[in-house]
């Protein structure tokens, strides 16, 4: 089947997620991809032989400051890795992964790998000789294989785009990875739908077949079904969970159901989850409303509606309080920062707290949480963590973070972005407009 041209002029296979279709000459495609890769790294344009999914990934990799001669860094080792793996939800389905993929990996001289939602490899198992070879490029447990760290690769890209993907030979962004081929599929939490990580099969050109992508996708779906049958990992997970980072309307997971809250109800639950002792009506009024003319009647009406939404047994009054502990993503980030677990805090931070909220107490908490995390990232000087923040929507104009990133990863892309940002921020604001604060 001949490739079809995309609107951008790049060629696409009939299935854009499969690296090679039957009948394709692998050797010839490798040569074409290598030439395309060199063209991209030299002039920044993607020639036609490159699939759209790979072209988009190359561009993201370049924007993240990844160099084609880079390598993965190991973030977790020894006891830290063991403790992290033991607590990770995917530990519960590792026996299933080994049962379904272990023999295939060993017999085919491939590797079975599992990463977390941030592209860090948790398990790498399979053929002994292949493992030793993969160790030469730091494809080992504890290493970070996110796109922002090592560019295009199956586990990192599968997590980034949240769908199964196959990466063949010179489609990898880093040159030392180009002798390899891999296929990976994301695995989701069956209750919340969030990405837990990805399962991957890595080896030689023999994996560049549509069946390998379909196989690993089926394994991922089997893992999700198994997690659903296993149920909550511990009794603690039955507690209500509040997700308020990176979204204007919070989501509450309670009794197995997802409740999407209005902006005002989101603000109320965020504040009450932080004050288990409760808040009086006057305290809530001051925390929620900039306008001092808002009356207690307005607040009581909101609280009555919220009580009906949550159902009986969760909401108390005199003072207003939550009658059961509610875990929140805000509290997770705060706890990890307090204990110095900066990487874990960055992993849990999905974005600013209720970014559209103007409630005074929420605005203060939003700034305090973001400033605390970005200060910790700058002090840590980890190039991957800094790159993740700098390339996120909330960090793309963060001058201090870009300066810190340029100090530890002074690639041309990073230096160029820093120079543009410094020029932009040094220019006088348009007449009649005041420059926004940091």
């Amino acid at each position: 089947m001949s490739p079809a041209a995309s609107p951008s002029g790049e060629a696409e296979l009939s299935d854009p997620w499969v690296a090679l279709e039957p009948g394709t000459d692998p050797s010839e495609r490798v040569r074409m991809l290598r030439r395309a890769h060199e063209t991209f790294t030299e002039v920044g344009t993607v020639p036609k032989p490159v699939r759209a999914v790979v072209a988009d990934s190359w561009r993201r990799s370049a924007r993240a400051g990844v160099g084609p001669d880079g390598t993965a860094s190991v973030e977790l080792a020894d006891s830290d890795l063991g403790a992290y793996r033991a607590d990770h939800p995917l530990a519960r389905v590792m026996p299933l992964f080994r049962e379904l993929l272990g023999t295939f990996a060993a017999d085919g001289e491939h590797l079975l790998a599992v990463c977390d939602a941030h592209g860090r490899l948790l398990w790498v198992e399979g053929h002994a000789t292949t493992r030793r070879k993969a160790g030469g490029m730091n494809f080992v447990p504890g290493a970070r294989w996110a796109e922002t760290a090592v560019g295009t690769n199956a586990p990192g890209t599968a997590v980034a785009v949240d769908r199964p993907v196959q990466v063949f030979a010179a489609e990898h962004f880093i040159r030392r990875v180009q002798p390899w081929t891999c296929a990976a599929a994301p695995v989701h939490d069956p209750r919340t739908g969030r990405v837990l990580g990805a399962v991957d099969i890595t080896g030689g050109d023999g994996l560049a077949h549509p069946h390998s992508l379909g196989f690993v996708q089926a394994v991922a779906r089997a893992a999700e079904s198994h997690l659903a049958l296993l149920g909550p990992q511990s009794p603690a997970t039955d507690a209500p969970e509040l997700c308020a980072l990176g979204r204007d309307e919070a989501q509450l997971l309670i009794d197995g159901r997802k409740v999407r809250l209005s902006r005002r109800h989101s603000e109320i639950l965020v504040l009450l989850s932080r004050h288990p002792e409760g808040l009086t009506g006057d305290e809530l009024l001051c925390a929620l409303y900039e306008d001092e003319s808002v009356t207690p009647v307005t607040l009581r009406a909101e609280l009555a509606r919220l009580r009906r939404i949550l159902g009986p047994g969760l909401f108390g009054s005199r003072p207003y309080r939550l009658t059961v502990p509610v875990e929140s993503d805000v509290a997770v980030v705060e706890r990890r920062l307090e204990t110095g677990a900066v990487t874990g805090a960055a992993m849990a931070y999905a974005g600013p707290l209720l970014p559209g909220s103007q409630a005074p107490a929420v605005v203060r908490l939003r700034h305090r949480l973001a400033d605390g995390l970005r200060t910790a990232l700058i002090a840590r000087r980890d190039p991957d963590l800094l790159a993740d923040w700098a390339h996120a929507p909330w960090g793309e104009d963060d001058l201090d973070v870009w300066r810190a990133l340029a100090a530890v990863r002074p690639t041309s892309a990073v230096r160029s972005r820093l120079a543009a940002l410094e020029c932009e921020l040094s220019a006088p604001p348009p007449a009649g407009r005041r420059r926004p604060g940091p």
Side-chain angles (χ1 to χ4, degrees):
M1 185 175 296
S2 61
S6 70
S8 63
E10 295 160 359
E12 294 183 0
L13 301 173
S14 60
D15 183 349
W17 303 95
V18 173
L20 289 181
E21 291 188 338
T24 304
D25 181 354
S27 299
E28 176 59 25
R29 185 148 183 86
V30 168
R31 286 192 290 270
M32 293 171 64
L33 287 168
R34 284 178 177 162
R35 290 195 296 268
H37 184 268
E38 292 304 314
T39 298
F40 179 76
T41 56
E42 289 174 5
V43 300
T45 59
V46 186
K48 288 184 178 181
V50 182
R51 293 181 291 152
V53 61
V54 174
D56 291 342
S57 178
W58 282 4
R59 296 185 187 104
R60 289 194 300 270
S61 303
R63 287 197 299 269
V66 180
D69 296 314
T71 189
S73 60
V74 177
E75 287 191 351
L76 293 173
D78 303 330
S79 60
D80 289 339
L81 174 62
Y84 183 72
R85 290 196 301 198
D87 290 338
H88 198 277
L90 292 181
R92 308 174 80 199
V93 289
M94 272 308 297
L96 178 68
F97 288 149
R98 293 181 179 117
E99 179 182 353
L100 297 179
L101 283 172
T103 301
F104 173 77
D107 293 348
E109 299 187 5
H110 307 315
L111 298 177
L112 157 65
V114 176
C115 72
D116 67 9
H118 292 265
R120 287 192 301 187
L121 298 179
L122 304 181
W123 292 271
V124 179
E125 302 176 358
H127 193 271
T129 301
T130 309
R131 286 185 64 186
R132 286 195 294 272
K133 293 179 180 177
M137 60 178 182
N138 267 357
F139 194 80
V140 296
R144 182 179 174 89
W145 279 74
E147 269 194 353
T148 55
V150 293
T152 309
N153 70 94
T157 301
V159 167
V161 301
D162 192 15
R163 67 163 298 160
V165 64
Q166 193 175 51
V167 178
F168 169 68
E171 289 181 333
H172 288 93
F173 192 78
I174 289 183
R175 292 189 180 96
R176 68 169 54 193
V177 189
Q178 291 180 351
W180 299 80
T181 293
C182 45
V187 181
H188 303 85
D189 185 321
R191 294 191 308 135
T192 66
R194 69 184 179 93
V195 175
L196 298 174
V199 58
D200 166 81
I201 193 78
T202 288
D205 292 351
L207 288 175
H209 191 284
H211 290 169
S212 66
L213 183 62
F215 184 27
V216 77
Q217 183 176 8
V219 170
R221 299 297 84 78
E224 291 171 350
S225 298
H226 192 60
L227 286 171
L229 291 173
L230 290 175
Q233 190 163 359
S234 67
T237 59
D238 289 333
E241 299 175 13
L242 182 65
C243 297
L245 294 177
R247 54 175 73 203
D248 285 326
E249 296 180 333
Q251 177 179 281
L252 181 68
L253 181 65
I254 179 173
D255 296 332
R257 61 189 176 102
K258 298 176 185 176
V259 179
R260 184 176 177 179
L261 304 167
S262 69
R263 181 174 297 180
R264 185 63 75 198
H265 291 165
S266 300
E267 295 164 346
I268 293 171
L269 273 193
V270 165
L271 297 176
L272 292 181
S273 69
R274 297 179 57 77
H275 293 277
E277 75 284 1
L279 294 170
T280 66
D282 287 342
E283 288 172 331
L284 271 176
L285 274 174
C286 292
L288 292 170
Y289 298 100
E290 292 180 294
D291 185 356
E292 296 182 358
S293 66
V294 175
T295 66
V297 175
T298 300
L299 176 60
R300 284 198 294 270
E302 289 285 4
L303 293 169
R305 285 190 287 269
L306 178 59
R307 181 181 284 108
R308 289 195 295 270
I309 292 171
L310 298 180
L314 185 62
F315 196 86
S317 56
R318 297 179 183 170
Y320 297 111
R321 68 194 186 281
L322 299 174
T323 56
V324 298
V326 173
E327 178 65 292
S328 73
D329 48 3
V330 175
V332 170
V333 174
E334 289 181 318
R335 285 199 303 270
R336 293 180 180 179
L337 281 177
E338 289 171 359
T339 59
V342 179
T343 300
M347 290 170 56
Y349 188 79
L353 169 65
L354 301 177
S357 171
Q358 296 301 316
V362 173
V363 171
R364 289 193 296 270
L365 178 57
R366 180 196 306 146
H367 290 317
R368 185 164 67 246
L369 190 68
D371 290 346
L373 180 54
R374 63 187 292 278
T375 299
L377 294 176
I378 292 170
R380 175 64 64 89
R381 295 175 58 83
D382 183 301
D384 295 327
L385 295 179
L386 288 168
D388 284 347
W389 182 278
H391 292 285
W394 56 86
E396 58 186 6
D397 295 328
D398 193 324
L399 182 59
D400 291 337
V401 169
W402 278 100
R403 284 172 174 165
L405 179 59
V408 295
R409 182 177 280 169
T411 64
S412 57
V414 172
R415 292 197 302 267
S416 175
R417 174 57 184 156
L418 175 59
L421 192 57
E422 289 178 328
C423 180
E424 176 185 335
L425 294 179
S426 64
R433 291 184 59 187
R434 184 169 59 88
R435 187 183 305 283

